[in-house]
Amino acid sequence: MSKKIQAIRGMNDLLPKDSDLWTHVERTIADLFSAYGYKNIRTPVVEKTDTFCRAIGQATDIVEKEMYSWTESNGDSLSLRPEGTAGCVRMMIEHNLPREGIQKVFYQGAMFRHERPQKGRYRQFHQVGLEVFGAADAKIDAELMMMTHSLWKKLGLKNITLEINTLGSSEARASYRNILVEYFSQHKDELDEDSLRRLETNPLRILDSKNREMQSLINNAPKLMDHLDDESAEHFEQFKSYLDCLGIDFVINTRLVRGLDYYNRTVFEWTTTDLGAQGTICAGGRYDGLVEKMGGKPTTAVGLAIGLERLILLLEEQNIEISDNKLSIYIVAPGDAVQLKSMQIANKLHDTLSNVIIYNDMTIGSFKSQFKKADKANADFALILGEEELNDNKISIKPLKSQDEQKTLDLDEAIKFFKDYR
């Protein structure tokens, strides 16, 4: 007997029973972002490896350890995308879109990182990204917070905290990097293996270490907030003022540095304590120098990414039930004689009704078995088409979630009934 075929570890199937929740979340996000004037874009899943190396930074864990990369026969090194911003920036540069004015875009899709799979952290995962190019004022940073804050409310989520910080200008950050290296170099014997490596490559990431034995050392480290340039300090104050006027609560987390090299000024994370160690469900910040770094003209930029797997986990953890407010109708049509008519009726219902789900039974089983399927589908109504109804050119409507009486109508009357129902 041949071995059963299975999915790759850390790359999961979306099963039919879970698809309603995913579809609801994705539709809610897309509708909200579109309502703010953001346009949907799509970029390739595969890019040249250099696209990510230049954007993310050679010294990051993603580039060093986690990318799925290979060499083509022509010598080109290609990679599956580990995040969405780099490809989006490449698209902006290649098509020279910022010349047309401020670009506000969003995208969704699979990302790939070769890491140890755990709950809320997978090798193939899905993100929704939101990016704005050409807007320098803190007002756009605040708009991203306004949108995500609205999204949590629309989804019914609670117990979510906004953490913010500023990384200052690239010059201030470079200066602070030297101060940080000097501080941690004096305490090398207290650093773990990862932090010793980061001391040479990306010392700001030491501040993000989860090693409990190092927390006292990290808490006593110099704060970037004390070494900001004047413009970044003013930008951060404006950002906080916008959040205050919007009534969005926030916590300043001076250890929040984000894991990618391209960030400057505003950085943020929306976090929850309901998911254990994987508590970040949305994160991002400014990357004003990235477009120029990747070969484009100097262009300010800010963006965020929402991890869909974690968002779904949080909805499930908080026992939030979704309601798409769609009317669902199950056509009960037992026997061969009524099957052609059932297809005509299903087609007419789809053509004339909106925001409705039509289940047309395909088993041609008994009344009893089809009603069981109607209950399993959680349908609002059974639309019954038996031989008696067929002979009278009528259909019967039976409510499945109330004690209302069954009624028999002709098709046009039935359509009007469903239209008026909600």
Side-chain angles (χ1 to χ4, degrees), residues 44-86:
V45 174
V46 176
E47 299 268 1
K48 291 183 178 179
T49 302
D50 186 54
T51 299
F52 303 114
C53 292
R54 290 168 67 178
I56 299 170
Q58 291 279 5
T60 59
D61 288 348
I62 296 173
V63 170
E64 288 182 343
K65 304 176 183 179
E66 298 172 1
M67 287 207 302
Y68 285 91
S69 302
W70 65 94
T71 303
E72 294 277 273
S73 58
N74 64 359
D76 286 347
S77 178
L78 306 181
S79 297
L80 289 172
R81 61 186 181 195
E83 57 92 55
T85 299

Side-chain angles (χ1 to χ4, degrees), residues 2-41:
S2 60
K3 187 177 180 181
K4 184 172 68 172
I5 298 175
Q6 292 184 312
I8 298 168
R9 184 168 176 257
M11 299 187 178
N12 304 315
D13 298 309
L14 174 62
L15 302 181
K17 67 181 179 64
D18 301 318
S19 64
D20 284 350
L21 179 56
W22 276 79
T23 301
H24 171 74
V25 169
E26 290 171 341
R27 185 185 296 122
T28 301
I29 292 172
D31 288 348
L32 176 66
F33 289 178
S34 297
Y36 276 82
Y38 288 70
K39 300 294 186 181
N40 186 234
I41 61 167

Side-chain angles (χ1 to χ4, degrees), residues 8-12 61-62 65-66 68 82 111-127 194 198 205 208 210 258-260 269 275-281 307-311 313:
I8 298 168
R9 184 168 176 257
M11 299 187 178
N12 304 315
D61 288 348
I62 296 173
K65 304 176 183 179
E66 298 172 1
Y68 285 91
M111 312 291 165
F112 303 85
R113 296 186 189 180
H114 194 285
E115 55 185 349
R116 183 174 63 85
Q118 51 190 296
K119 186 176 181 181
R121 196 178 186 95
Y122 307 109
R123 289 177 175 174
Q124 177 177 310
F125 56 99
H126 299 80
Q127 284 185 343
D194 263 354
R198 286 170 173 166
R205 287 301 311 281
D208 201 30
K210 303 300 186 289
R258 304 294 300 130
L260 305 178
E269 291 186 357
L275 294 179
Q278 306 302 330
T280 301
I281 59 170
L308 291 181
E309 277 83 359
R310 293 187 192 177
L311 193 56
L313 280 173

Side-chain angles (χ1 to χ4, degrees), residues 238-253:
Q238 290 175 341
F239 178 50
K240 290 189 293 181
S241 295
Y242 279 119
L243 295 180
D244 286 336
C245 85
L246 292 169
I248 299 175
D249 295 331
F250 60 88
V251 174
I252 297 175
N253 178 359

Side-chain angles (χ1 to χ4, degrees), residues 27 64 81 83 114 142 155 226 263 270 299 302 405 413:
R27 185 185 296 122
E64 288 182 343
R81 61 186 181 195
E83 57 92 55
H114 194 285
L155 292 174
D226 298 329
Y263 286 112
W270 287 97
T299 306
V302 61
E405 291 184 1
E413 289 173 334

Side-chain angles (χ1 to χ4, degrees), residues 364-375:
I364 318 179
S366 66
F367 269 114
K368 184 177 180 181
S369 67
Q370 292 192 34
F371 269 107
K372 281 185 177 179
K373 293 184 178 70
D375 287 334

